Amino acid sequence: MVIRWLLLLAFTSGAYAGSASGNHWTIRDVFFEENGAWSDQVSSDETVQSCADFVLSESEVKQYFAASRDASEREYDHDLDMSRCFAGGRISFSDGREALWKIDRARRGRMIFPDKSERFFYCETCENSKFDDACDDECMSGLK
Amino acid sequence: MLNVDERGVIRNARIINAIATTIERGPMVKVKGIIVHQTGGPTASSTLHSYKNANANGAHFLIDKDGTIYQTASVLQKTQHVGKLRSRCLTEMRCTPAEMRLAKQSKASATHKREIKKSVPDRYPSNEDSIGIEIVGQAFYKTPNPKPGEEKVYEAVTKPQDASLKWLISELRWTLNVPLAEIHRHPAVSYKNETEASSASW
């Protein structure tokens, strides 16, 4: 109940609270280094042109980290599908901490902190049409 | 040729039975391909441990750094090890003009939904009809201060892993009648880190 109230307060005050794994934070500012960007480090047929529309706004980045769940390093690096289309940059929190961030079209997210620790995210529930559709077991097997 | 029992377990002195039914997803009628992966984890035990979780994803075999081969799922069972399929005709430059247009415009899910309706070799082998082989291997950032968009790079397979992979693929091909053209690295067929299994050969 308290957590819900805190989240509601954060949203209504224009800040966004991350809720993944119960470790709560409030994102203060989002800085972009790349947006609508293309990576050759992922195997895909996505082109520079097709990635150009994967442009996220500051509020969309905040919404993503508020709605996403924690993912494990193995999920992020290995299990989850990836996308060549991504946005990334730096993020600051209300407590003064900072991190590098990345979100890709395949709904994966990552933060890298100055001490080299990382957090990984995945957002099945994000309804932003800029993301590719999530695909469950039935979708994978062609049943839907 | 490998001796496969009625449950899909291979009876061979070089293969240790470590089957985790948690990663099995129902009967596989015909094996049409083999997909080679790297785990992203440091040890075989970390992968075997992760397979104990309910609804875990995994492949059929696991090759440890010292070349030890574990069978982790029945070869008669499907597992979730591939992901969304890439367009095979686009990669092999044999799409019709209509397919080419669709393939270039589509997001990965739409491409997968079209591909999965095709049959091998018109599409890549999928979870439905392929054996997965995981090779223990981690991925690391190339630089001490990675940029926001940077992905990690997988380490090279060891010599014992290389020897075991060659032997296992040769035996599986012979036993399951899989053509050489249907052995693929994971990133070739799905949306993955380009360096995964890039140093593997067979």
Side-chain angles (χ1 to χ4, degrees), chain A residues 8-126:
Chain A
L8 183 64
L9 185 69
F11 274 104
T12 52
S13 67
Y16 288 77
S19 59
S21 105
N23 187 9
H24 301 281
W25 65 79
T26 302
I27 294 172
R28 190 178 62 199
D29 294 306
V30 177
F31 303 96
F32 290 85
E33 290 182 22
E34 302 187 82
N35 210 353
W38 178 88
S39 168
D40 64 359
Q41 297 170 347
V42 171
S43 65
S44 158
D45 305 310
E46 294 159 316
T47 62
V48 172
Q49 292 77 19
S50 69
C51 288
D53 64 355
F54 187 69
V55 176
L56 300 180
S57 66
E58 179 171 349
S59 66
E60 286 172 327
V61 172
K62 289 177 175 176
Q63 284 165 2
Y64 172 88
F65 286 115
S68 59
R69 66 164 171 84
D70 265 325
S72 67
E73 184 172 8
R74 176 190 160 88
E75 274 185 289
Y76 182 89
D77 285 334
H78 180 271
D79 293 355
L80 294 169
D81 285 315
M82 306 179 179
S83 171
R84 283 188 159 176
C85 309
F86 74 97
R90 199 162 47 82
I91 209 162
S92 68
F93 303 96
S94 56
D95 63 3
R97 288 180 306 146
E98 290 194 342
L100 298 177
W101 65 274
K102 175 185 181 178
I103 298 171
D104 75 11
R105 179 168 260 160
R107 299 168 178 266
R108 296 184 315 148
R110 179 186 66 197
M111 292 181 187
I112 306 175
F113 294 89
D115 64 0
K116 311 291 186 201
S117 64
E118 297 175 279
R119 290 192 65 166
F120 305 96
F121 305 88
Y122 184 67
C123 192
E124 284 121 337
T125 57
C126 289

Side-chain angles (χ1 to χ4, degrees), chain B residues 8 36 49 51 64-65 70 75 86 133 150 159-161:
Chain B
V36 180
H49 184 74
Y51 286 179
D64 203 351
K65 293 259 176 153
Y70 298 91
V75 295
R86 296 176 64 187
I133 301 174
E150 195 168 323
K159 281 186 178 173
Q161 285 176 323

Side-chain angles (χ1 to χ4, degrees), chain B residues 37-196:
Chain B
H37 306 249
Q38 272 182 295
T39 59
T43 61
S45 62
S46 62
T47 298
L48 293 171
H49 184 74
S50 76
Y51 286 179
K52 290 178 182 168
N53 297 327
N55 293 317
N57 291 332
H60 297 79
F61 295 93
L62 176 67
I63 302 178
D64 203 351
K65 293 259 176 153
D66 64 0
T68 302
I69 302 171
Y70 298 91
Q71 183 178 2
T72 46
S74 162
V75 295
L76 304 177
Q77 286 277 320
K78 297 185 281 191
T79 70
Q80 295 279 24
H81 65 97
V82 178
K84 293 172 186 167
L85 290 177
R86 296 176 64 187
S87 166
R88 188 165 189 171
C89 76
L90 194 62
T91 306
E92 298 180 352
M93 294 187 288
R94 53 180 175 81
C95 292
T96 64
E99 280 180 316
M100 178 78 83
R101 200 167 46 250
L102 273 174
K104 285 190 169 176
Q105 289 171 349
S106 301
K107 290 179 183 171
S109 290
T111 298
H112 174 78
K113 286 175 182 173
R114 279 198 310 278
E115 290 296 306
I116 200 69
K117 289 176 184 156
K118 302 175 185 173
S119 299
V120 177
D122 290 331
R123 65 159 166 81
Y124 289 116
S126 72
N127 293 326
E128 299 298 299
D129 47 26
S130 70
I131 294 290
I133 301 174
E134 289 277 7
I135 302 168
V136 174
Q138 282 183 279
F140 303 97
Y141 290 114
K142 259 194 310 196
T143 56
N145 296 304
K147 291 182 177 175
E150 195 168 323
E151 294 292 338
K152 294 169 186 165
V153 174
Y154 277 85
E155 62 185 327
V157 302
T158 66
K159 281 186 178 173
Q161 285 176 323
D162 183 62
S164 291
L165 180 67
K166 284 182 168 73
W167 176 81
L168 181 60
I169 286 183
S170 170
E171 292 294 324
L172 287 171
R173 281 192 58 213
W174 179 243
T175 306
L176 302 171
N177 195 24
V178 176
L180 187 59
E182 297 306 339
I183 319 292
H184 304 278
R185 291 180 183 84
H186 197 194
V189 304
S190 191
Y191 304 84
K192 298 296 170 182
N193 184 312
E194 279 280 15
T195 65
E196 183 186 346

